Amino acid sequence: MHPATAKWYDRSDYVFIEFCVEDSKDVKVNFEKSKFGFSCLAGTDDIKHSNEFDLFEAIDQNESKHRRTDRSVLCCLRKAESGKAWPRLTKGKEKLNWLSVDFNNWKDWEDDSDEELSNFDRFSEMMNNMGGEDELPDLDGADDEESADSDDEKLPDLE
């Protein structure tokens, strides 16, 4: 029995864990208030995977869900206390070699303020309102011969 490789990330209301197992069968996900369990058979050799650990904080097991695809099993754990960041997935601080942070989906949501989001929205709108390539501003004589570097010499014509 092997632990399944997993990636996780945090949001204000949920914690997401993706178990990277291809062609999984007999998937079992156990949501408990402060404990999580996952097991399945995977691949053509029916390798048995099993992961079990204590969660950093409590979850609402009735509102937590999972979804299986051909390439992975995504688990969505509803936090019992919304708006509280989880610095790690597990209660213990030990490093689990099968678990990593999903940096592609990670976001420091707790630092976001409405003002910063509003500024970002205005910036995005401004960028969208800018013209395309045909409307680039004049580059003040970039094509003029006088603006050439002083060390550039006129080359003789080729024969």
Side-chain angles (χ1 to χ4, degrees), residues 4-142:
T5 302
K7 302 182 289 188
W8 80 284
Y9 61 98
D10 184 33
R11 289 290 189 268
S12 64
D13 296 333
Y14 294 93
V15 172
F16 295 90
I17 310 168
E18 183 176 16
F19 292 94
C20 306
V21 287
E22 292 186 17
D23 302 324
S24 59
K25 299 178 271 201
D26 299 332
V27 174
K28 292 179 182 66
V29 178
N30 185 23
F31 299 107
E32 293 180 28
K33 187 173 181 158
S34 60
K35 196 172 208 151
F36 180 83
F38 170 81
S39 66
C40 73
L41 296 174
T44 56
D45 297 336
D46 285 339
I47 297 171
K48 174 88 169 148
H49 293 283
S50 180
N51 303 63
E52 189 172 285
F53 52 93
D54 292 324
L55 294 166
F56 179 75
E57 291 281 336
I59 62 167
D60 180 348
Q61 60 264 37
N62 297 325
E63 293 292 319
S64 297
K65 300 174 175 76
H66 75 280
R67 187 183 77 217
R68 182 202 161 282
T69 67
D70 289 341
R71 305 194 80 179
S72 67
V73 177
L74 181 63
C75 300
C76 177
L77 286 64
R78 173 76 175 188
K79 292 180 180 179
E81 191 176 335
S82 293
K84 186 173 182 184
W86 288 23
R88 60 185 179 279
L89 181 62
T90 61
K91 189 167 205 72
K93 292 184 179 182
E94 68 276 357
K95 172 77 172 130
L96 302 172
N97 61 356
W98 53 266
L99 182 64
S100 63
V101 173
D102 186 351
F103 287 108
N104 291 334
N105 289 307
W106 190 267
K107 179 183 170 200
D108 284 333
W109 56 267
E110 65 179 344
D111 294 336
D112 290 344
S113 69
D114 292 337
E115 182 180 325
E116 288 172 352
L117 291 175
S118 171
N119 288 342
F120 178 76
D121 290 341
R122 283 197 300 262
F123 178 74
S124 296
E125 184 179 334
M126 181 181 73
M127 292 300 288
N128 289 336
N129 289 337
M130 291 182 82
E133 279 185 19
D134 295 336
E135 299 175 19
L136 289 176
D138 216 5
L139 298 178
D140 292 333

